[in-house]
Amino acid sequence: MGTSVRSSGNGNLPAESNTFVGREPELARISALLGSSRLLTLTGPGGVGKSRLALRAAHAAQPEFPGGVWLVELSDLQNPDLLTNAVAEATRLAEQTLRPLLTAVCEHLDNGPVLLVLDTCEHVLDECARVVHELLAQVPQLRVLATSRQSLGVAGEHLLPVTPLPVGEHSDAVTLFTARAAAAVPSFALTDATRADVAAICTRLDGIPLALELAAVRLRGFPLDRLLQGLDSRFDLLVSPARPRLARHQTLRTAIGWSHELCTPLERLLWARLSVFAGGWDVEAAEFVCHGGPLDPEEILALLASLTEKSIVTRESSGVAGRYRMLDTIRTFGADWLEGLGEQDAVRVRHLDYFRWIARQGEAEWLGPGQRMWAERLSLEHANLRVALEESLAAPDPGTALELTGTLWYFWFACGFADEGRGYLERALRQVPDDASGHTLAIWAHRLVTVVPEDVEAAESVSAAYVWLAQERRLPVPALPLTGASLAVRGESARSALLYGSSAQAPGVGGGAEFFQLLTLAVQAYLLAGQGAFERCAVVAERLRVDCATRGELWMRAWGDFFVALAGIGLGRPQDALRSARRALAAKWRVHDRFGAAAVADLLIAAEAVGGEPERAARLLGVGTRLWYSAGLPQFGDTETTVFRREYARRLRADLGDSAFTEAVREGRGLSAEAAIRLALDGLPDEADL
């Protein structure tokens, strides 16, 4: 198979970046508690290693959770109201539903034994407690492993305090420091001559893993005895005679502060300014947001490299487009420093300006060869987009928020974040008068992400809103038969035939205008197929494919492939239909369109059945159910909900017999979303053909 669909197993756990040291008793205790307790929270101060311990325990627990092990990182989440969205995103559930999102998440996770790891809960504690309570009530086979500086306070919660590593000459703290020191300075080795100094450093740092790792990196610039002396003198300044031992949180902050003092003034300034980012950043973003005063953009790459060497910043990937991030504790230290410098507001404004520019560029290039890149880039920048949106909504002039939320229509609609987009658009629209700049765009975007396939009234409102938008921008208005499409979904083909009209040309100016030009063709093809006019459907669908191919566009072109395949089934050409449907599915998956992927998977059922592969078609019936759950629309995966699935379930059961049919469907439904896609794409040509 020549696709780029990538499996990460049934879950999303990242690989461990370096060796894990010690914690055998804690790991054994976590394993036992996950078997007996549905909610386990690892508690302890920052830097003590809660997140790393949870990740290690989650990796070890994977065989016990065939339904998936999912990590939800919450440190970058500023708005508690988006916690459910964060869970949906981490578990790869598209938000294309008007039902309560938490209900959709519960249904999505109700797929056998599942472990959900909620990392860094303390700053969204109340919402974590509410969501966890609901998840545990609605998903019987769910276990939750949380990390937090305090308990969630949910009934049945079991707490496991995480303490620093044991210290002493033969302790885990010494082992960890030695491993990290050898990684920083390959010539370093623990010997009888150095063991006492290493143990003294570990004792001085109270065995706190983050403090040990920061100290170990300093061996690049100091011999071991100088490192110990530096720690002693630095700590002595902060210890009062009446308090001979530092509290652990003060120890960590002092260790970070000591690393801060060993940075150059420009490195400290960059550290502080980088703290405005959430979820990481690339070099271009750092150069735009962090330049100014003594910090030239041309210096930032070298300074990032220096901060990486000091383990203040972590580089996450190789190549030109590498990304960087900071641990939450280190970022918090930088944010405090930025506030002390009085630069917080100015740097946040540059951050907002940069991501407004990113949103505009994405809209301008969405219907072009960079579409897949933009889908992936905006997914990477999702946390930063949230920061920018919250900043714009808190600004005295909310017009920026209206513009930003509206400009991101393609991200909300096409990449599976409709629920979140609705929330932001509604907040922005409440804050501005109807005659504000950008109001019409935001109204249209809101209606676009609110429409559902069976809702005629919502479809009409989207069409009306686009007419307003086109008129405001002085553009010709294309015929947009969304009302007819909604009627067709509901089986009212005769009425829909009166509504599709002609495919008047919309101008190729601006992402929204081009999008609607192409959408008009897609809807027309859909209505023609619904009326059985397959030859005409194929002509319109091929025109859509050509128009999209000219632009190098994937998302809408996949609908062209979809309708070509649909026409192929109607015309008795199953092999042609299979090729087109698989191309459509690969493209939809690449641009993170879960709704589209589920719809195409259903089409593959028909293609395989018509092509004489009933067992494979039955497996795909189960695959389609799984993908509709992933899209947040499980009702579309119910064989009794839609005429299409009900009819094919009846046919395939008759062809295979009850037992074989039931087993094939069960097999398909039990796959992870990624495995389901691999099964559906079996036999697809090389990606160069897409």
Side-chain angles (χ1 to χ4, degrees), residues 93 99 192 199 223 272 308 360 381 423 426 474 488 497 528 551 651:
L93 168 67
R99 299 177 307 140
D192 291 341
T308 302
R360 290 170 182 167
E381 300 292 7
E426 286 165 5
R474 298 182 181 179
L528 288 168
R551 294 173 168 86
R651 291 187 194 180

Side-chain angles (χ1 to χ4, degrees), residues 101-122:
L101 184 59
L102 188 53
T103 301
V105 169
C106 290
E107 293 173 343
H108 179 56
L109 294 177
D110 193 9
N111 185 40
V114 174
L115 177 62
L116 193 66
V117 184
L118 300 177
D119 187 28
T120 316
C121 298
E122 57 269 5

Side-chain angles (χ1 to χ4, degrees), residues 56-79:
R56 180 69 165 188
H59 273 288
Q62 278 185 305
E64 306 302 319
F65 294 96
V69 180
W70 303 97
L71 173 65
V72 187
E73 297 181 287
L74 300 176
S75 62
D76 294 324
L77 190 68
Q78 295 186 354
N79 183 353

